[in-house]
Amino acid sequence: MTRRTTRRTAEAVRVPWPPVDEEEAADTLVSALVRSARGIAGCEQVADAMARIAEGAAAVVPGVLDAGVTVRGRDGLSCAAHTTETAAAVDRAAIEMAEGPCIDAVTGTETVILPDATTETRWPRFVQAAVRHGVRASVSVPFSGTWPVGALNLHVTGHALADPSQRERIRREARIFTLYASIALAGAHRVEHLERAIARRDVIGQAKGILMVQHGIDADEAFARLRHASQTTNLKLYDIAAWLSTRSVT
């Protein structure tokens, strides 16, 4: 999956930290969540939706500028999107070292918090890398649902999350945002797969037409021949159709 860096955070609503008024902060949070969810769901490509998630998290969750998205693909974990190079560097370090709150969140189902990188002992190599990049604390929240397998990573620079109430607020709002994002991302995923399915159907239809013209057969027989070629060559039917269509054009 293509890694994206987004710098559109100025367009989003930022939740103040600390809040001046709890009711006002709650209203602002809801507005920011709705705006972010709409932006994510409106993406036609999953890669764009991932970038929107990182951007939205940095706008919604108080005290966070450095946000990243880590997902598991066929080749393992990768950094799918990030708002800053700091977030990208810290997420890549976790993947390379196979340790850190992000790794634990991806492999589990619970939010994982790193309160203070300077005193943390659970991930000795990772926290050294985090401190080198100026990160003092992190919160990693796994995506809900069966897809994608991954986590939203929120990194705090400049100070630790020593205050329990501060940690709880960030944890709560990060979890709420990730739930919204997971639902919206599922919509973007369906759109991308639908577009891909339509494109594949068109290619197969084109290949059927070529066979019908060349051999004077009907649509059912043309499809049967494509399917037979797929079975005998151990190639996907779409790949057979794409090859035939390209060969016909050239």
Side-chain angles (χ1 to χ4, degrees):
M1 183 175 292
T2 304
R3 186 166 59 245
R4 300 293 183 91
T5 301
T6 175
R7 298 191 180 280
R8 295 176 293 179
T9 54
E11 300 176 3
V13 176
R14 179 165 298 284
V15 179
W17 177 262
V20 176
D21 179 86
E22 288 293 340
E23 184 175 350
E24 180 181 350
D27 290 341
T28 304
L29 172 63
V30 171
S31 298
L33 284 170
V34 170
R35 176 178 295 189
S36 295
R38 286 175 177 170
I40 297 164
C43 294
E44 295 182 355
Q45 301 295 323
V46 170
D48 293 334
M50 294 291 185
R52 286 275 191 166
I53 289 174
E55 167 195 315
V60 169
V61 182
V64 173
L65 294 174
D66 307 285
V69 176
T70 298
V71 296
R72 185 187 301 280
R74 294 180 179 178
D75 299 323
L77 294 177
S78 64
C79 180
H82 46 268
T83 57
T84 65
E85 289 304 320
T86 295
V90 174
D91 288 351
R92 283 196 294 263
I95 294 170
E96 292 169 2
M97 297 173 181
E99 69 172 41
C102 167
I103 306 301
D104 287 4
V106 170
T107 56
T109 59
E110 300 296 329
T111 300
V112 181
I113 300 178
L114 165 61
D116 190 344
T118 62
T119 59
E120 181 60 63
T121 58
R122 286 174 292 178
W123 312 289
R125 293 185 299 158
F126 169 76
V127 293
Q128 291 180 14
V131 171
R132 283 199 303 270
H133 291 290
V135 170
R136 286 289 305 276
S138 293
V139 177
S140 293
V141 187
F143 288 114
S144 58
T146 58
W147 189 95
V149 176
L152 171 66
N153 308 309
L154 308 176
H155 306 296
V156 180
T157 58
H159 63 88
L161 295 177
D163 182 6
S165 62
Q166 184 183 20
R167 285 201 303 272
E168 176 56 25
R169 179 182 172 189
I170 290 182
R171 185 196 67 82
R172 181 179 65 251
E173 297 190 2
R175 290 186 65 182
I176 293 172
F177 175 81
T178 305
L179 177 59
Y180 271 72
S182 297
I183 296 171
L185 184 58
H189 187 228
R190 284 194 295 270
V191 170
E192 183 174 279
H193 272 254
L194 178 60
E195 291 179 343
R196 192 178 302 164
I198 292 173
R200 287 174 176 267
R201 185 187 65 183
D202 290 345
V203 171
I204 292 172
Q206 183 179 358
K208 286 168 56 180
I210 293 169
L211 292 177
M212 291 168 65
V213 170
Q214 290 181 346
H215 300 284
I217 56 179
D218 62 18
D220 290 340
E221 176 61 22
F223 184 78
R225 293 191 181 189
L226 287 172
R227 184 171 56 190
H228 177 71
S230 172
Q231 293 171 345
T232 55
T233 60
N234 200 29
L235 294 173
K236 293 182 179 179
L237 192 147
Y238 168 78
D239 294 333
I240 296 289
W243 174 83
L244 181 60
S245 299
T246 303
R247 180 171 175 268
S248 177
V249 171
T250 57

